[in-house]
Amino acid sequence: MNVIDVKNITKHYLLGTQTVEALRGVSFGIEQGEFIAIMGPSGSGKSTLMNIIGCLDSPTDGTYHLNNQEVSTLEGDELAGIRNKEIGFVFQNFHLLARNSALDNVMLPLKYAGVDKADQLKRGKDALSQVGLDSRMDHQPSELSGGQQQRVAIARALVNNPSILFADEPTGNLDSQTGHDVMQLFHNLHQQGQTIILITHENEVAAEAQRTIFIKDGLIESDIRKEKL
Ligand SMILES: Nc1ncnc2c1ncn2[C@@H]1O[C@H](COP(=O)(O)OP(=O)(O)OP(=O)(O)O)[C@@H](O)[C@H]1O
Ligand SMILES: [Mg+2]
């Protein structure tokens, strides 16, 4: 079964009298457990596509089924509800709350979801263990290394058991060794069955994925599956 099915997705932005066609008819399916890299030049439509399949924005036209549910017609709270339940995000700049401990940062999505406090604590601690940060739960972001901060962000993205983990340039702010460690973590999560979609400019990072979708001028230029293992 496909987790994601997009058909003929277009996205037009209106800027005054000008229309920007950021996506011009994109179709693909993603199966549960796939690890996919999205690559393409600056301005090609990668973030626009991620915003739509991450339920942050709606397409102008086309259909999008997420776990068999049509979501392209949803807006506002309905879309946010699906997003909180189904999607975990990891960003280049970590996006952690500076004055909160690692554990509080990770528990936040559960708080929003109305999970009771005891469950928040248990699941928050489990998620931090999963990324190897048992001994750093009470540290604030400024008391953690860049790689550790990104691990906290990954734990926060995973704590809701999302259908899909999205990462936009997750190693962009890390030195090469730390970036490598974070990619090892994505690799392990994939081995455990997590569906992962990651946007990257780096061939080395994309090499970790099983499949690479190249976007150019708002269209899929190629969609390549690796014969690996
Ligand atoms: N909110 C917006 N309003 C108008 N035009 C936009 C908006 N967001 C993006 N665009 C335009 O849509 C096109 C695709 O942008 P997008 O951000 O998806 O590119 P990208 O592939 O993520 O690029 P980068 O690698 O630089 O992050 C670009 O031409 C951009 O200028
Ligand atoms: Mg972008």
Side-chain angles (χ1 to χ4, degrees):
M1 187 194 97
N2 281 351
V3 190
I4 286 179
D5 243 312
V6 300
K7 289 215 168 64
N8 273 316
I9 290 279
T10 64
K11 182 69 181 180
H12 296 174
Y13 294 110
L14 292 176
L15 279 181
T17 56
Q18 195 200 354
T19 305
V20 179
E21 297 184 28
L23 295 175
R24 300 190 294 141
V26 168
S27 306
F28 59 85
I30 293 178
E31 285 173 33
Q32 192 174 349
E34 280 196 274
F35 187 172
I36 294 172
I38 297 181
M39 300 189 83
S42 181
S44 56
K46 303 181 298 295
S47 293
T48 302
L49 181 63
M50 175 168 128
N51 288 346
I52 292 170
I53 53 184
C55 296
L56 289 160
D57 202 357
S58 309
T60 303
D61 216 336
T63 59
Y64 173 21
H65 289 85
L66 175 57
N67 289 322
N68 281 331
Q69 187 186 355
E70 169 63 282
V71 292
S72 57
T73 51
L74 302 182
E75 288 177 339
D77 289 349
E78 276 183 321
L79 195 60
I82 302 265
R83 180 171 70 236
N84 293 341
K85 197 164 137 256
E86 306 282 358
I87 317 276
F89 289 102
V90 175
F91 300 96
Q92 180 170 355
N93 297 321
F94 322 135
H95 286 207
L96 299 174
L97 297 179
R99 292 175 193 285
N100 291 60
S101 68
L103 184 57
D104 282 339
N105 268 285
V106 173
M107 281 164 34
L108 209 59
L110 299 175
K111 199 169 157 185
Y112 289 145
V115 172
D116 71 59
K117 190 75 194 228
D119 244 25
Q120 285 181 33
L121 278 166
K122 177 170 185 325
R123 287 167 60 185
K125 286 177 182 173
D126 285 350
L128 280 167
S129 292
Q130 204 185 347
V131 300
L133 286 179
D134 303 73
S135 61
R136 295 290 184 275
M137 305 225 181
D138 298 324
H139 289 232
Q140 292 188 355
S142 63
E143 298 161 348
L144 295 168
S145 71
Q148 288 170 340
Q149 289 181 57
Q150 192 59 301
R151 281 167 189 270
V152 173
I154 294 168
R156 180 183 57 187
L158 290 172
V159 77
N160 264 340
N161 292 319
S163 302
I164 308 155
L165 179 62
F166 273 101
D168 197 348
E169 299 283 353
T171 60
N173 273 349
L174 303 174
D175 64 66
S176 65
Q177 179 57 47
T178 311
H180 187 81
D181 295 346
V182 165
M183 287 314 299
Q184 184 62 45
L185 177 56
F186 280 110
H187 178 82
N188 295 344
L189 293 169
H190 174 231
Q191 298 287 324
Q192 291 161 30
Q194 180 67 52
T195 309
I196 301 173
I197 301 176
L198 98 76
I199 297 179
T200 183
H201 284 101
E202 294 171 65
N203 286 318
E204 257 185 293
V205 172
E208 201 55 59
Q210 298 166 301
R211 177 178 169 194
T212 304
I213 297 178
F214 289 92
I215 310 275
K216 196 179 171 192
D217 295 334
L219 291 169
I220 294 184
E221 187 182 41
S222 63
D223 182 346
I224 298 165
R225 284 168 206 270
K226 240 187 287 176
E227 303 291 329
K228 204 172 140 189
L229 302 176

